[in-house]
Amino acid sequence: MRSHRAFVAKLEPEAKLTGAEAAHLRVLRADVGDTITLFDGAGLEADAKILALEDFTITLRVGESRVVNLEPPQEITLAIALLKGDKLAEVVRGATELGVMRFQLLVTEHSDLKEIGAQKLERLQRVALEASKQCRRAVTPLVLSPIKLKNLEPVTCGLVAHPGSSLKPREAYDWAVPITIATGCEGGFSGSEIQWLETRGFVRVGLGPRILRAETAPIAILGALTAGEGF
Ligand code: SAH
């Protein structure tokens, strides 16, 4: 059986887990003497032995840390329009597994939502943490609070998914530089938003002849770029 994984902000010789991380290990019935894997969300992990289990705190002795690199060759930012319901959580989960380094939430013309609460943002960050734990990444992507699309900084290489575009993702990108991927909300990007993105370093790409749901499109484009290329 693979050892359980838990997140700790800093890998020091003795670690204390509290809150959700401790509760999760309790659910998994971890016990004194068990060895688990700790990771710091920034690329390091270490084996750790459970020394004590108290109600809300688990104390561990932490071994040598090691660098774990399951990252794609370049950093991937997903700039995604705000979506309704729990769809963003679905995207954050899948896109974390597919190697995204950073989520930039966007307020766009057609977004029904114009903001999200601090609690929801925190939950999305938690989803990113759980997903990185599950897929064995030692890096946990950041979920950045929403900005207006027009405040997005210019990018070196950007792909904006837009139905009807003939360029394919892999024809538009070759892993020479970091990449930003933009995908729209249920109503898509407006024509003027697409044009504006094109002045900021983005090219339009298509994902086949069918219209994908707003939560499917980011997974499809990432699947083509990372999973499909062995990254
Ligand atoms: N109502 C819009 C579709 C929005 S789909 C329309 O009819 O144009 C939501 C988002 O998913 C889009 O903004 C785009 O980023 C992405 N998307 C969905 N299907 C796509 C496709 N076939 N090619 C490229 N992008 C697509």
Side-chain angles (χ1 to χ4, degrees):
M1 193 186 80
R2 294 239 199 193
S3 77
H4 298 315
R5 292 167 65 78
F7 165 78
V8 67
K10 199 160 193 280
L11 288 168
E12 287 170 325
E14 188 173 289
K16 287 200 186 292
L17 298 180
T18 55
E21 291 305 292
H24 187 58
L25 282 178
R26 287 239 167 214
V27 170
L28 296 170
R29 306 217 168 276
D31 209 348
V32 171
D34 288 355
T35 299
I36 66 160
T37 305
L38 291 181
F39 71 106
D40 72 351
L44 293 179
E45 68 174 40
D47 296 329
K49 200 173 180 139
I50 300 181
L51 297 179
L53 288 164
E54 286 146 284
D55 282 349
F56 300 105
T57 310
I58 297 180
T59 309
L60 303 111
R61 189 172 59 239
V62 184
E64 285 294 302
S65 57
R66 52 186 180 263
V67 176
V68 175
N69 189 4
L70 305 185
E71 301 306 298
Q74 297 283 348
E75 286 187 4
I76 306 174
T77 300
L78 177 63
I80 179 163
L82 291 181
L83 305 178
K84 287 189 277 185
D86 219 23
K87 292 178 190 165
L88 279 177
E90 207 179 298
V91 173
V92 167
R93 187 175 302 116
T96 298
E97 293 169 31
L98 288 164
V100 162
M101 177 64 136
R102 187 177 304 105
F103 294 90
Q104 176 60 68
L105 305 182
L106 296 177
V107 179
T108 62
E109 267 175 51
H110 296 156
S111 322
D112 284 335
L113 286 184
K114 297 297 179 200
E115 55 182 12
I116 61 170
Q119 242 184 342
K120 185 151 182 196
L121 195 65
E122 226 169 84
R123 175 163 134 64
L124 291 174
Q125 189 60 64
R126 182 82 211 162
V127 170
L129 175 61
E130 289 304 328
S132 47
K133 197 187 279 183
Q134 180 272 327
C135 74
R136 305 192 176 276
R137 263 178 104 172
V139 170
T140 299
L142 265 185
V143 184
L144 303 172
S145 29
I147 57 168
K148 290 201 176 108
L149 176 97
K150 303 245 154 138
N151 292 334
L152 196 60
E153 295 289 326
V155 298
T156 321
C157 176
L159 307 189
V160 52
H162 195 54
S165 313
S166 53
L167 197 64
K168 297 175 189 142
R170 67 175 156 72
E171 294 168 339
Y173 184 62
D174 64 3
W175 296 103
V177 289
I179 181 173
T180 303
I181 293 167
T183 61
C185 63
E186 294 83 352
F189 291 115
S190 71
S192 75
E193 285 177 328
I194 292 288
Q195 280 175 6
W196 189 86
L197 283 169
E198 284 174 327
T199 68
R200 311 292 272 180
F202 285 83
V203 292
R204 314 171 186 209
V205 293
L207 302 172
R210 294 164 300 280
I211 300 293
L212 307 178
R213 295 176 76 123
E215 64 274 32
T216 309
I219 303 304
I221 188 168
L222 287 162
L225 290 173
T226 63
E229 298 296 325
F231 298 138

